[in-house]
Amino acid sequence: MGAPDFSSLPYIGEAIKRKEDYRFLTGAGQYTDDVTMANQSHAVFVRSPHAHAKLLSVDIEAAARMPGVVGIITGKDIEGKMGGLPCGWLINNPDGTPMKEPMHPILAINKVRYVGDHVAMVVAETVEQAKNAAEAVVVEYEVLPALVSVADAARKQGGVTLHDEAPDNQCYKWTLGDRAAVDAAFAKAAHVTKLDLVNNRLIPNPIEPRVAIGNYSRGTEEYVLYVSNQNPHVERLLMTAFVLGLPEHKVRVIAPDVGGGFGSKIFLYAEDVCLTWGAKHLNRSIKWTAERSECFLSDAHGRDHVSHAEMAMDQDGKFLALRVHTDANLGAYLSTFSTAVPTILYATLLAGQYTTPQIYVEVDAWFTNTAPVDAYRGAGRPEATYLLERLVSRCAWEMKLGQDEIRKRNFITTFPYQTPVALQYDTGDFHACMNKANALAEVSGFAARKAETEKRGKLRGIGYSSYIEACGIAPSNIAGALGARAGLFECGEIRVHPTGSVTVFTGSHSHGQGHETTFAQVVAARLGISVDAVDVVHGDTGRVPFGMGTYGSRSISVGGAAIMKALDKIETKAKKIAAHLMEASDADIEFANGEFTVKGTDKKVAFGQVALTAYVPHNYPLDKLEPGLNETAFYDPTNFTFPGGTYICEVEIDRQTGEVKIDRFTAVDDFGTIINPMIVEGQVHGGLVQGIGQALMENCVYDNESGQLLTGSFMDYAMPRAEDFPQFKLDTVCTPCTHNPLGTKGCGEAGAIGSPPAVINAVLDALAPLGVKDFDMPASPHRVWEAMTHGSVSPQQEPQQPAATAATQGRPTV
């Protein structure tokens, strides 16, 4: 289906202020921690202080007698009574055998496998009482050697085995592409560029920590789980079908206002199941609110890849073949979508925007004694883009070409385009993005700016990144063939009320994206009513149809498309009602701008009158039409959507301190049809900040011997602040998606995908005169200073920092 042109419709493309912001700004939002249930108690989790240990005993006797204690649950209480936390994506080895899938118990049984692993849940009348009792639980451990680094896991060092099911700690080996064809292309290459790099581990840190409340009614035998989560239906499905074995209709999951997720709130966590099961076991509502230190320890982390990449080129810099090997750290257990991140969501994007004829990718995934790793803003796409765009800039420098020139020589120009790594791009204009970015960034003046910077004794560099991502995470049949254990559709219900106002029920979930505004704009534009006449309901399995939630920048392209399909049904029925009112054939009825008209006449009926007639069916053809105006639709995409763009970063580096300053940052994106440019701009800004944060300062570090988390608070884990950024220059190119009814592509993850390589390429460009040829994230001052002084430095080496400057005083340095 070709995408219609919405540009002439009211509300589409308008920067309407977000409807939901009033309640947030006035303190009227309701987050899970704001909810108080009847007969509510509080939970605190006893967590392992060791990265790897046998669990010899858990003595709860003294703790159970302490004031206010309702009950204490350990692994022995749940052993044999439920399944483990499931992984939602099956990956097979090249020989067809399935990945190793050891059980992930909700409370440790016999062994703990990372610092923060769940040992017991203590429930008491107050949080303070639960904390006191948790400290009185006596746990006896037999400490074992820890395996922390994915590089060590890949080298099979240390003789450590986390799971009996995976004695060598390897979860799977996975390949994609034609190895023989790639080898043949390399044999003919005029030049080969090679690059080793690390994509550093990150901790998501949404502003709202994870929170959950479990409740059970003995009268109805129904469970209710309030939870800070991005996809409540998936949470319910995984918990009921795979862990607790409960009838799904007896479990209601409610995700109210959520204060950010970035992927870390997609997953089914052990705490959620403990609270749900414990609510019945103890006959009490149980609330748990994570402290920030728990978030650092136990929220799913992101990234953590070690890769080697090689690009074969002809004498003119045209790409002939790409060869990649990646070792991916999965952490101690498989999380909900962890296995898909370094495979389906990573390797399939390594074609990027380029016509590379042959690509071969090999991924080895490893268990380590660290927190589980899963999707984090971009999920595989940032890792692919970082590798490819770092490599492409390295190719340019070795071939003595401009970073923009080598990209232009290899851009895809005809669509649809079938990549050698499974995906088919439907549309795009990569040259337009590059040209607009070059103009907006005033690249022609870079030489003069560089000379001025050098006069001040500093270094200046410029870096490019031309990214593409696959959004929507669909269609279901292809995803299923690739290992997905769930459908990847979305659902929308449109309920038109007698007065003509509308309530939208969507399976997508909003946790900062502005769905209550953008979805309302789509409905209002389509029906010709006011945006204020549209309400959007989400996040409650007891109210909304089954849906897959929000992740992968899929909400408007998949959830919005489901709403459009439901609107198609509304319009079809409404035309029949209008035809009855105007005594015409429904085939002659046209609908636009909120009015139904009869072709060739001046007859017309307003949408509101049709809505009222649907519910007040006097003189209504009940033999032909049912009363009411309420429709539901499911939408399963036929392909991914493919946002893309070009980012250009300019940095200044202080030679004395190593401080990197982002002086200019330009982002030109192609998101297809844009519903609300203000919201899109905000999404891009947020993504850029997170991506630049990774490039400059964020870095999760474990002690490689003990497995202790060294960056366990904001004193050690640096987060970006407003003062770290310039005024971003943003613009867009529009090539509408050809296969969804809105023409949208998604925008929520783009900034985090495209920005890290642009920043590091700029840093390397600035450091090139000093002979620094390679550098991995983060480019924190002490690491840059070390590189300028001694050469390249890796994230596993934390060198002595130089003296703090005014700009770095008081900031974390790891």
Side-chain angles (χ1 to χ4, degrees):
M1 181 195 312
D5 179 13
F6 285 89
S7 59
S8 62
L9 292 181
Y11 303 125
I12 301 302
E14 292 187 20
I16 294 173
K17 291 183 179 180
R18 300 194 339 161
K19 297 176 65 177
E20 50 268 66
D21 282 350
Y22 179 80
R23 74 172 185 272
F24 295 138
L25 293 172
T26 57
Q30 186 181 58
Y31 299 88
T32 302
D33 194 54
D34 295 323
V35 176
T36 300
M37 305 290 286
N39 201 27
Q40 179 173 287
S41 53
H42 297 267
V44 167
F45 285 87
V46 178
R47 299 182 182 274
S48 170
H50 304 294
H52 197 199
K54 290 181 180 179
L55 193 59
L56 301 181
S57 66
V58 182
D59 184 352
I60 65 171
E61 287 189 15
R65 294 193 299 268
M66 294 185 69
V69 173
V70 176
I72 301 175
I73 299 170
T74 71
K76 296 300 182 184
D77 296 312
I78 57 96
E79 187 174 10
K81 297 178 182 178
M82 63 184 70
L85 299 178
C87 178
W89 209 291
L90 173 67
I91 297 297
N92 289 322
N93 295 293
D95 63 3
T97 57
M99 65 189 187
K100 302 295 194 303
E101 198 168 359
M103 183 178 179
H104 184 179
I106 65 169
L107 293 169
I109 300 172
N110 301 324
K111 199 175 187 184
V112 291
R113 294 178 172 88
Y114 68 100
V115 174
D117 206 352
H118 313 74
V119 174
M121 180 176 74
V122 178
V123 181
E125 298 293 350
T126 69
V127 174
E128 192 66 29
Q129 289 172 333
K131 285 184 177 181
N132 291 338
E135 292 177 358
V137 174
V138 179
V139 185
E140 186 179 359
Y141 300 94
E142 180 185 324
V143 179
L144 301 171
L147 178 65
V148 176
S149 161
V150 68
D152 286 347
R155 290 191 292 265
K156 301 184 180 179
Q157 291 185 348
V160 178
T161 295
L162 274 74
H163 302 279
D164 293 341
E165 298 88 340
D168 62 353
N169 300 307
Q170 186 161 10
C171 180
Y172 59 79
K173 175 183 282 290
W174 184 85
T175 62
L176 180 65
D178 187 334
R179 184 171 189 168
V182 168
D183 289 345
F186 269 83
K188 299 176 182 177
H191 183 83
V192 173
T193 292
K194 300 180 180 182
L195 182 65
D196 292 296
L197 50 78
V198 174
N199 201 303
N200 49 316
R201 180 182 280 235
L202 302 176
I203 302 174
N205 280 310
I207 193 169
E208 178 205 25
R210 287 192 293 121
V211 189
I213 308 171
N215 172 268
Y216 178 74
S217 169
R218 294 192 180 277
T220 61
E221 297 184 327
E222 292 177 338
Y223 299 80
V224 176
L225 174 68
Y226 280 87
V227 62
S228 181
N229 184 267
Q230 298 176 217
N231 47 359
H233 273 288
V234 175
E235 170 111 350
R236 181 177 71 167
L237 174 64
L238 294 174
M239 184 165 59
T240 57
F242 294 95
V243 187
L244 296 179
L246 297 173
E248 197 170 0
H249 71 286
K250 288 294 186 180
V251 179
R252 180 181 181 185
V253 175
I254 302 172
D257 290 327
V258 173
F262 313 121
S264 69
K265 294 178 181 176
I266 298 172
F267 322 121
L268 176 64
Y269 284 97
E271 294 91 349
D272 307 344
V273 182
C274 285
L275 294 166
T276 304
W277 186 83
K280 179 180 180 180
H281 183 71
L282 299 175
N283 195 28
R284 294 291 297 269
S285 297
I286 309 172
K287 184 177 193 175
W288 169 75
T289 300
E291 296 187 345
R292 184 59 65 180
S293 60
E294 288 183 285
C295 295
F296 275 93
L297 285 173
S298 63
D299 285 7
H301 293 176
R303 317 293 191 246
D304 206 345
H305 286 189
V306 175
S307 299
H308 175 78
E310 300 180 359
M311 183 73 82
M313 293 173 282
D314 68 13
Q315 66 274 13
D316 297 318
K318 285 284 289 181
F319 301 155
L320 303 178
L322 171 65
R323 187 159 52 201
V324 175
H325 179 270
T326 292
D327 288 302
N329 195 340
L330 298 177
Y333 302 100
L334 297 182
S335 183
T336 307
F337 294 116
S338 59
T339 53
V341 174
T343 53
I344 307 303
L345 300 179
Y346 165 70
T348 57
L349 272 298
L350 285 171
Q353 298 186 8
Y354 311 113
T355 57
T356 312
Q358 298 292 339
I359 299 174
Y360 177 74
V361 188
E362 190 173 85
V363 177
D364 290 309
W366 306 92
F367 294 111
T368 65
N369 293 117
T370 61
V373 177
D374 209 319
Y376 172 61
R377 199 167 190 169
R381 284 73 55 87
E383 294 91 322
T385 299
Y386 182 70
L387 180 146
L388 183 61
E389 291 305 294
R390 282 284 314 279
L391 182 62
V392 168
S393 284
R394 172 62 60 198
C395 290
W397 294 324
E398 291 186 3
M399 297 296 289
K400 302 190 184 318
L401 295 171
Q403 294 181 67
D404 56 345
E405 177 59 29
I406 198 166
R407 287 171 168 82
K408 290 180 194 178
R409 291 188 185 189
N410 289 281
F411 276 157
I412 297 162
T413 57
T414 58
F415 296 90
Y417 179 82
Q418 179 63 53
T419 74
V421 280
L423 298 182
Q424 184 181 85
Y425 305 157
D426 62 325
T427 186
D429 192 339
F430 305 142
H431 278 282
C433 289
M434 173 64 77
N435 293 338
K436 185 170 281 192
N438 271 335
L440 192 61
E442 301 176 280
V443 172
S444 60
F446 172 72
R449 293 191 294 274
K450 184 178 179 70
E452 189 276 331
T453 297
E454 290 174 348
K455 288 180 181 178
R456 293 185 280 109
K458 295 186 177 183
L459 302 168
R460 178 178 284 266
I462 188 168
Y464 281 74
S465 171
S466 295
Y467 78 93
I468 193 166
E469 61 166 323
C471 295
I473 319 301
S476 293
N477 59 346
I478 294 177
L482 295 173
R485 288 167 164 167
L488 293 168
F489 53 83
E490 196 48 83
C491 182
E493 178 187 348
I494 304 294
R495 187 177 299 172
V496 180
H497 302 293
T499 57
S501 61
V502 174
T503 300
V504 178
F505 298 86
T506 175
S508 298
H509 187 279
S510 181
H511 39 278
Q513 294 90 344
H515 295 170
E516 293 175 39
T517 303
T518 51
F519 285 2
Q521 286 179 253
V522 169
V523 173
R526 182 72 183 272
L527 298 181
I529 60 178
S530 167
V531 168
D532 292 331
V534 182
D535 281 340
V536 177
V537 176
H538 63 88
D540 184 347
T541 64
R543 297 186 66 190
V544 303
F546 190 99
M548 298 307 296
T550 293
Y551 46 86
S553 300
R554 73 193 306 266
S555 295
I556 193 65
S557 298
V558 185
I563 289 169
M564 286 291 286
K565 289 191 70 175
L567 287 167
D568 288 342
K569 296 180 180 180
I570 291 288
E571 182 176 327
T572 298
K573 183 173 181 180
K575 282 182 175 179
K576 293 178 180 179
I577 298 172
H580 166 71
L581 291 174
M582 293 186 286
E583 299 180 335
S585 167
D586 55 297
D588 293 329
I589 301 298
E590 295 179 335
F591 179 60
N593 301 318
E595 289 185 333
F596 297 89
T597 57
V598 180
K599 293 178 186 177
T601 75
D602 60 356
K603 291 183 178 182
K604 62 182 178 180
V605 166
F607 177 77
Q609 185 178 347
V610 170
L612 182 62
T613 302
Y615 291 95
V616 186
H618 298 164
N619 191 27
Y620 193 84
L622 293 173
D623 57 327
K624 298 179 181 179
L625 283 173
E626 294 179 353
L629 199 52
N630 185 8
E631 298 288 352
T632 300
F634 288 81
Y635 175 72
D636 199 327
T638 58
N639 194 2
F640 292 92
T641 62
F642 298 100
T646 287
Y647 292 176
I648 302 174
C649 175
E650 284 187 41
V651 300
E652 276 192 349
I653 299 178
D654 190 313
R655 287 174 176 264
Q656 303 302 313
T657 66
E659 180 193 359
V660 178
K661 174 188 174 184
I662 307 291
D663 188 61
R664 291 172 170 235
F665 201 100
T666 299
V668 175
D669 298 285
D670 180 358
F671 297 135
T673 303
I674 290 177
I675 307 299
N676 187 314
M678 179 191 70
I679 288 177
V680 168
E681 183 176 328
Q683 289 286 298
V684 173
H685 276 209
L688 291 176
V689 166
Q690 280 186 281
I692 296 171
Q694 177 182 13
L696 291 185
M697 59 193 76
E698 293 189 51
N699 194 27
C700 173
V701 179
Y702 283 90
D703 181 83
N704 208 43
E705 296 296 324
S706 68
Q708 293 294 326
L709 180 64
L710 301 180
T711 52
S713 76
F714 289 131
M715 292 297 292
D716 308 297
Y717 186 93
M719 294 287 277
R721 304 173 182 173
E723 66 190 21
D724 297 314
F725 305 99
Q727 186 70 35
F728 298 131
K729 291 185 177 182
L730 309 182
D731 207 340
T732 58
V733 168
C734 181
T735 61
C737 174
T738 61
H739 55 79
N740 76 51
L742 289 165
T744 53
K745 295 184 178 182
C747 69
E749 298 164 303
I753 292 170
S755 56
V759 173
I760 298 301
N761 285 336
V763 169
L764 284 168
D765 185 56
L767 296 179
L770 304 182
V772 178
K773 294 184 177 181
D774 202 7
F775 192 91
D776 272 315
M777 301 181 286
S780 55
H782 69 282
R783 298 187 71 250
V784 174
W785 178 84
E786 183 78 359
M788 289 190 297
T789 306
H790 302 298
S792 299
V793 63
S794 77
Q796 283 73 36
Q797 298 170 318
E798 294 303 327
Q800 181 65 39
Q801 66 187 53
T805 66
T808 62
Q809 188 72 44
R811 299 294 294 275
T813 57
V814 174

